[in-house]
């Protein structure tokens, strides 16, 4: 399949719309590692603006199967903490992450969009402790929503 030529001054969204299906899918997989999600968004190009792409991404994320969510979770990493965070906080967070992964079988994911570095640690610790009380089905829904929010932020930052 040939890619369409785009002018050198094309916006990131214009380049995404004109990219080959494989290139577009790779861009999307960097935002949320679900092949079903990436395929669906790639197949519906072109998008007239970022808002339309974000709306389509949201809709596609709501339709992810449990297997698609598992695939996406395998590529996620733990949220980064500010560099000047105390060692004791890192220890507490590592213990909370280990308890979470032991309970739910996957990494803890959370969107930290809009939080200042000073708020990050308390927000993550509070959320992980709270979510440890969820039953597995409830936590799957919360995790799916957090993945959707992460994908939305990553798409906005990429395109």
């Amino acid at each position: 399949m040939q890619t369409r030529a785009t002018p050198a001054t094309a916006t990131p969204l214009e380049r995404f719309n004109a990219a080959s299906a494989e290139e577009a899918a790779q861009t999307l997989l960097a935002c949320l590692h679900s092949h079903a999600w990436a395929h669906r968004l790639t197949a519906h190009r072109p998008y007239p603006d970022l808002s339309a792409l974000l709306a389509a991404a949201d809709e596609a994320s709501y339709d992810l199967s449990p297997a698609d969510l598992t695939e996406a979770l395998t590529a996620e990493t733990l949220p980064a903490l500010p560099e000047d965070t105390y060692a004791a906080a890192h220890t507490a967070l590592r213990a909370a992450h280990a308890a979470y992964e032991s309970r739910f079988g996957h990494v803890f994911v959370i969107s930290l969009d809009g939080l200042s570095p000073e708020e990050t640690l308390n927000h993550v610790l509070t959320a992980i402790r709270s979510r440890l009380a969820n039953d597995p089905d409830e936590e799957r829904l919360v995790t799916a929503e957090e993945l959707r929010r992460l994908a939305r932020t990553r798409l906005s930052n990429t395109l």
Side-chain angles (χ1 to χ4, degrees):
M1 172 182 241
Q2 290 184 330
T3 59
R4 293 168 268 177
T6 56
T9 59
T11 67
L13 181 62
E14 290 169 335
R15 286 191 297 277
F16 171 77
N17 282 332
S20 70
E22 184 177 318
E23 289 173 310
Q26 289 304 310
T27 297
L28 293 167
L29 288 169
C31 298
L32 182 70
H33 195 81
S34 164
H35 285 84
W37 182 82
H39 175 73
R40 182 169 168 181
L41 292 175
T42 299
H44 288 95
R45 290 177 306 152
Y47 294 95
D49 54 38
L50 182 58
S51 294
L53 173 58
L54 293 175
D58 284 349
E59 184 179 327
S61 69
Y62 291 129
D63 293 337
L64 293 177
S65 71
D68 297 330
L69 289 173
T70 298
E71 177 189 25
L73 285 166
T74 61
E76 289 297 321
T77 58
L78 298 175
L81 293 178
E83 288 183 28
D84 62 346
T85 303
Y86 294 109
H90 280 282
T91 301
L93 194 57
R94 275 193 301 277
H97 281 292
Y100 181 93
E101 287 187 36
S102 175
R103 174 150 167 72
F104 298 110
H106 59 80
V107 69
F108 175 77
V109 293
I110 189 167
S111 173
L112 300 173
D113 189 37
L115 290 178
S116 69
E118 297 80 31
E119 299 171 295
T120 300
L121 176 62
N122 285 337
H123 185 77
V124 170
L125 281 172
T126 300
I128 199 167
R129 288 178 180 147
S130 170
R131 288 170 54 187
L132 276 167
N134 290 346
D135 66 57
D137 290 335
E138 182 180 14
E139 183 55 24
R140 196 106 177 131
L141 293 173
V142 173
T143 298
E145 178 61 18
E146 290 297 330
L147 283 171
R148 184 195 66 76
R149 291 177 64 210
L150 286 167
R152 185 177 180 82
T153 299
R154 292 168 182 162
L155 273 172
S156 295
N157 291 340
T158 301
L159 302 177

